[in-house]
Amino acid sequence: MWGQLALTVLQQSHLCPLPLVQQPVYWQFDHALHLYPVPAALLLADSSPQAQHSHGGCMVFNPGSFSEGCFAAYVPVQQLVEMSALPRDGDAGDTQPDTDAGDQPDVSRDQELGGQRAALD
């Protein structure tokens, strides 16, 4: 479905490809929504899942919902889109801090300082 939207926007060369009955047009500023000439990349951000589509030398992509940790990186020289997402809670192992960790000395830090920390205490 998202690929059809991208294709429609590119084929009609307009960011709002709706009939006048559904979307009134303020003609004085309509030229700002035209896509002529066709750009090298077009970002259509939405809360739908990440997607990308290429047509006629234009890379159209949706980075996904930023509030869900999704984003995209675009490399213009290579016309490469890299879809990315931040790990969610629980995806990267146990992210909860250990409540007893503050009671015990930091052994690795003591070893790094060569036992100097014990002398300062």
Side-chain angles (χ1 to χ4, degrees):
M1 185 73 174
W2 192 87
Q4 293 173 348
L5 169 69
L7 191 61
T8 300
V9 168
L10 289 176
Q11 287 177 343
Q12 293 193 12
S13 298
H14 200 276
L15 288 175
C16 187
L18 300 173
L20 289 174
V21 176
Q22 292 179 354
Q23 180 66 40
V25 175
Y26 189 52
W27 294 107
Q28 187 175 359
F29 297 110
D30 183 60
H31 68 279
L33 298 176
H34 285 259
L35 293 174
Y36 184 79
V38 176
L42 180 62
L43 172 83
L44 295 176
D46 192 359
S47 61
S48 61
Q50 294 178 326
Q52 65 183 9
H53 182 76
S54 181
H55 178 72
C58 179
M59 178 65 67
V60 184
F61 60 97
N62 175 17
S65 177
F66 189 69
S67 65
E68 294 177 7
C70 299
F71 61 97
Y74 176 66
V75 183
V77 174
Q78 300 172 351
Q79 283 196 336
L80 176 69
V81 177
E82 181 180 319
M83 299 296 183
S84 301
L86 297 174
R88 295 182 182 199
D89 292 338
D91 287 350
D94 186 18
T95 59
Q96 297 295 326
D98 189 6
T99 55
D100 296 332
D103 297 337
Q104 299 176 359
D106 187 2
V107 177
S108 63
R109 182 73 175 151
D110 282 342
Q111 291 173 352
E112 182 180 310
L113 294 174
Q116 294 173 1
R117 182 174 179 176
L120 294 175
D121 290 342

